[in-house]
Amino acid sequence: DMKMVEKVGLVKFDFLGLRTMTLVQDALDEITRQGKTPPDLDTLSLDDAETYELYSRGDTDGVFQVESSGMRQYLRMLRPTCFDDIIAMLALYRPGPLGSGMVDEFIKRKHGEVPVTYPVPSLEACLQPTYGVIVYQEQVMQIAQIVGSYTLGGADLLRRAMGKKIAEAMAEERTKFVQGAQKNDIPKEKANEIFDLMEKFAEYGFNKSHSAAYALISYYTAFLKVHFPVEFMAALLTSEMGNQDKLLKYVAACKDMDIEVLRPNVQVSRREFTVHEGRIVFGLGGIKNVGDEAIREIVDAREEGGPYASLLDMCIRVNLRKVTKRVIENLIKGGACDCLGCTRAGMLASLDTVVARAQKKLKERDSNQVSLFTMIKEEPKVCPGIGFDCEEQTAPEWPDDQKLRFEKEALGFFLTSHPLQPYRKELFRLRLTPLEEARDMPPGAEIRTAVLVTTLKELMTKKGQRMAFAGVEDLTASAEVVFFPEPFAEARELLKSDQPLLLEGTLDKKADDGNGGQGQGGDDEEAAPRDIKIMGAKVMPLAMACCSSDEPVIVELDTRRMSADYLAGLRAILEKHKGTVPVNVHMVVDESLCLLQLGPRWTVQPGPVFENDLNKWTHGGM
């Protein structure tokens, strides 16, 4: 073990396997595939202003070590402008420094709200990068050398003694430090004051070399996200292929970045998520029950023989022992075969016949038998869709709700259109908490969130009353909600409906370690995501919640398009959706953001239909 290794004079090394390194390489490879020049990370400048702006906005989905809501909050407060700020933030975002107020002190000094001071002038070079705050273990060692005349080895022993709070060793070290300081003309009283300061911060001090290495990887991911967003997000989705919650979260993040994520496509998709014409194509590896061998068959046959002409053509060209009927069924349900020119309903209904025909053709081909009619040369009839004339070729598509349910069954989440997607702006207006952010909230915290019920399991209590466990999800994560008898009795009918709901409750989960899931202190890359458990108190239809809130609806007015017709379009929408919710207008005039409050005549009934009409008007469609 570590201590025995040290006793015999050897050095212990920890090698961390970081999935993020694969993510970075995948992003670089995708950039190259797109015909662009990837950045050389070995010579990458660490002063890119746009990258620090991304940190300052807290737009850090997928950025290494800084994704948690708590870290985003501190980054927005810090507004980092240099690489040293990122190193320090990763070192400070831990239970000790957060609880001691060190982080707030650091941020205030950064912005000049508190003056930057140094115990003695000779420590300015050592403490300047952290604005006079002792953040790192290395700074403790440097202070021991500069002030106390320690050797490097002696300074390391002092650091250990302070970190482990060994009283006897500390008393000896204090005497040694004060004597060394006096040699540098530092009075005994001042030396003791500096030693007390070191002792206080050594308890929280973090290893800078570890933090700097992590900060560099964090900077790589942030830089790639800023300058190559589509390629980076494709690599990020690939890295989380087996994690449905993370895929859901990052697909939603892509939509926030105006990056379109296309459904899987047997004509284009590879195993991983890829970029095609500026959009991300869903990877075949993200479809349930579609294994790597089946994917290799589909991709290799396509690259060897060109695009698939039909479902039958694909079944003939792939090995059906690897690309089984179950695999094809999931490809159809997930939308990967839409490109073949037939409805999903038609393809699934004809699948047994298609597979039987393909197997027959393969059997004939492998038997080496020649029939009289095969000797007559004729051009094969290319029939897109299923591949031959049949009733299913013109079958109508499933209803939208069934189509979405099958899509979710195959992909693990709604890709084409989540039932909550039309409410995205309303979720912000109502100030609802995304489920993903609940991971960083303390136990017992109250939460208001918009959810879709995915499962409902009813139980009988010992008193003979009904209670339930509900599985719910939103656009970012999934959770379990416990409804005890009284709230369940009120919520039961709504929980059984398919409509989006506004859920109110309290968080019931294990106490947070204060680390925001950063995993910074251990040998793992990151802590496993915590399960989200909520004690349900109340639910109501989300559509009703949108109409009952008096929080104003915000309409963005483009002054560059200002005309009578433009304003008439807005007026028509407001009159069409007459309701009780006030409307505010945002418009930029002479580089100033102006807020206009419309009068009571123009109150509206917000919701998906209103939002859809507003989007059409915004993009010139009305």
Side-chain angles (χ1 to χ4, degrees):
D1 63 13
M2 176 179 75
K3 292 185 178 177
M4 294 305 293
V5 164
E6 286 180 350
K7 281 185 177 179
V8 296
L10 298 176
V11 180
K12 177 182 81 84
F13 290 89
D14 286 340
F15 293 92
L16 308 186
L18 300 184
R19 185 177 63 249
T20 305
M21 300 307 292
T22 304
L23 157 64
V24 168
Q25 188 59 53
D26 285 349
L28 296 175
D29 292 343
E30 190 60 50
I31 291 165
T32 304
R33 270 195 293 272
Q34 297 305 306
K36 302 175 185 176
T37 303
D40 182 354
L41 299 185
D42 291 333
T43 59
L44 187 66
S45 168
L46 297 179
D47 57 5
D48 181 67
E50 290 178 71
T51 301
Y52 291 112
E53 283 173 19
L54 177 132
Y55 279 115
S56 299
R57 293 194 306 271
D59 180 17
T60 53
D61 283 308
V63 179
F64 184 61
Q65 290 284 297
V66 293
E67 289 193 81
S68 73
S69 58
M71 177 62 95
R72 291 177 198 236
Q73 178 189 341
Y74 278 111
L75 284 172
R76 285 191 284 264
M77 290 165 61
L78 178 66
R79 304 192 300 279
T81 53
C82 61
F83 189 60
D84 275 320
D85 286 348
I86 305 299
I87 300 173
M89 203 66 238
L90 293 188
L92 287 168
Y93 193 71
R94 292 175 300 111
L98 288 168
S100 71
M102 275 177 70
V103 183
D104 295 315
E105 176 76 10
F106 180 86
I107 290 171
K108 286 175 181 175
R109 289 187 176 212
K110 156 87 175 171
H111 296 299
E113 296 171 26
V114 171
V116 176
T117 57
Y118 306 100
V120 289
S122 58
L123 292 180
E124 182 173 349
C126 165
L127 297 177
Q128 190 177 38
T130 54
Y131 311 108
V133 178
I134 302 173
V135 174
Y136 310 116
Q137 294 172 353
E138 287 89 339
Q139 287 176 317
V140 171
M141 293 170 64
Q142 281 181 287
I143 294 169
Q145 288 179 277
I146 295 166
V147 175
S149 305
Y150 273 61
T151 62
L152 195 57
D156 190 43
L157 292 174
L158 171 63
R159 175 193 63 80
R160 286 189 185 196
M162 283 184 167
K164 294 178 181 177
K165 299 181 182 177
I166 306 169
E168 290 181 13
M170 287 292 290
E172 292 177 13
E173 294 293 347
R174 180 183 289 272
T175 303
K176 181 179 174 183
F177 182 86
V178 170
Q179 289 173 350
Q182 288 174 326
K183 292 177 185 176
N184 293 317
D185 298 325
I186 295 172
K188 182 177 179 181
E189 186 179 320
K190 190 65 176 178
N192 273 305
E193 185 184 312
I194 294 171
F195 193 89
D196 290 340
L197 195 66
M198 290 166 62
E199 193 173 7
K200 175 188 172 185
F201 284 102
E203 184 180 340
Y204 306 129
F206 193 75
N207 182 264
K208 185 179 182 181
S209 56
H210 184 149
S211 193
Y214 269 22
L216 188 62
I217 300 170
S218 181
Y219 185 88
Y220 287 163
T221 54
F223 182 90
L224 290 169
K225 184 175 181 180
V226 167
H227 296 284
F228 303 94
V230 185
E231 292 83 359
F232 173 78
M233 292 307 290
L236 180 62
L237 288 164
T238 297
S239 74
E240 299 292 356
M241 195 114 55
N243 187 326
Q244 299 300 329
D245 271 3
K246 286 288 185 77
L247 279 181
L248 178 65
K249 173 185 173 182
Y250 293 138
V251 166
C254 287
K255 289 174 181 173
D256 288 340
M257 296 165 68
D258 292 326
I259 297 172
E260 193 174 353
V261 181
L262 302 176
R263 64 176 67 95
N265 184 330
V266 292
Q267 307 285 38
V268 179
S269 292
R270 307 181 69 82
R271 177 190 176 277
E272 64 277 8
F273 288 73
T274 52
V275 178
H276 182 69
E277 298 178 350
R279 299 177 292 181
I280 295 174
V281 182
F282 200 96
L284 296 178
I287 304 176
K288 290 184 177 181
N289 302 313
V290 179
D292 286 353
E293 286 196 17
I295 294 169
R296 272 194 294 272
E297 278 289 317
I298 293 166
V299 174
D300 290 350
R302 182 182 74 210
E303 292 183 347
E304 185 180 327
Y308 297 113
S310 64
L311 184 62
L312 177 62
D313 179 47
M314 184 177 78
C315 290
I316 291 171
R317 287 163 58 183
V318 299
N319 184 339
L320 290 174
R321 286 190 296 274
K322 294 178 180 176
V323 186
T324 63
K325 195 165 76 171
R326 188 186 184 196
V327 167
I328 300 169
E329 185 177 314
N330 271 29
L331 290 171
I332 293 169
K333 288 180 176 178
C337 297
D338 289 3
C339 52
L340 299 176
C342 184
T343 62
R344 298 180 194 182
M347 284 187 279
L348 197 61
S350 66
L351 186 56
D352 286 340
T353 309
V354 171
V355 170
R357 282 204 181 198
Q359 288 170 336
K360 184 180 178 185
K361 281 186 177 288
L362 291 167
K363 193 173 181 181
E364 288 173 357
R365 188 179 67 190
D366 294 342
S367 68
N368 293 321
Q369 291 182 351
V370 180
S371 73
L372 176 65
F373 297 107
T374 58
M375 295 173 69
I376 302 169
K377 287 187 178 180
E378 64 175 46
E379 288 296 317
K381 182 183 177 184
V382 177
C383 185
I386 290 169
F388 52 88
D389 289 328
C390 60
E391 187 180 329
E392 292 85 356
Q393 182 77 13
T394 56
E397 187 56 280
W398 296 311
D400 285 347
D401 59 342
Q402 186 177 354
K403 187 176 175 180
L404 285 175
R405 278 200 302 273
F406 277 141
E407 187 176 282
K408 188 182 180 195
E409 181 186 315
L411 305 181
F413 58 91
F414 297 101
L415 176 64
T416 305
S417 176
H418 192 285
L420 285 173
Q421 190 67 35
Y423 290 93
R424 285 185 69 78
K425 286 192 176 178
E426 287 298 284
L427 305 187
F428 285 105
R429 183 178 73 88
L430 299 177
R431 299 178 187 178
L432 303 183
T433 303
L435 285 177
E436 180 64 28
E437 290 186 13
R439 297 191 200 279
D440 297 311
M441 294 168 64
E446 293 185 356
I447 182 171
R448 293 174 73 247
T449 184
V451 298
L452 193 71
V453 177
T454 53
T455 61
L456 186 65
K457 182 181 178 183
E458 295 187 30
L459 300 171
M460 295 293 286
T461 67
K462 291 178 181 179
K463 293 182 178 179
Q465 296 173 301
R466 288 184 179 276
M467 64 172 291
F469 291 88
V472 300
E473 69 175 31
D474 68 357
L475 295 165
T476 65
S478 55
E480 181 184 73
V481 186
V482 181
F483 284 94
F484 288 114
E486 190 174 330
F488 179 58
E490 295 179 8
R492 188 179 182 195
E493 293 307 314
L494 283 175
L495 293 172
K496 288 184 174 182
S497 70
D498 293 330
Q499 63 182 310
L501 303 173
L502 187 146
L503 166 70
E504 295 182 10
T506 54
L507 285 178
D508 174 40
K509 60 172 188 171
K510 292 180 180 177
D512 195 354
D513 63 3
N515 207 12
Q518 298 304 303
Q520 178 72 267
D523 290 343
D524 297 325
E525 177 181 356
E526 57 185 60
R530 293 171 181 80
D531 291 335
I532 304 166
K533 294 189 178 181
I534 300 171
M535 312 296 287
K538 181 181 176 184
V539 295
M540 69 185 297
L542 185 57
M544 185 187 295
C546 293
C547 298
S548 60
S549 170
D550 58 2
E551 192 70 29
V553 169
I554 302 295
V555 175
E556 303 288 344
L557 203 64
D558 187 349
T559 52
R560 294 168 301 180
R561 296 173 55 200
M562 197 72 76
S563 68
D565 288 344
Y566 180 68
L567 292 176
L570 175 60
R571 176 177 183 155
I573 293 169
L574 299 180
E575 288 178 339
K576 177 182 175 183
H577 298 280
K578 191 67 184 165
T580 59
V581 178
V583 175
N584 287 353
V585 172
H586 279 182
M587 55 192 292
V588 176
V589 180
D590 296 332
E591 299 185 357
S592 296
L593 177 63
C594 301
L595 173 65
L596 304 180
Q597 183 177 2
L598 300 190
R601 178 186 169 188
W602 304 108
T603 54
V604 297
Q605 180 176 331
V609 181
F610 170 75
E611 207 57 54
N612 187 47
D613 285 349
L614 205 59
N615 282 335
K616 287 179 184 176
W617 169 76
T618 302
H619 295 98
M622 290 187 73

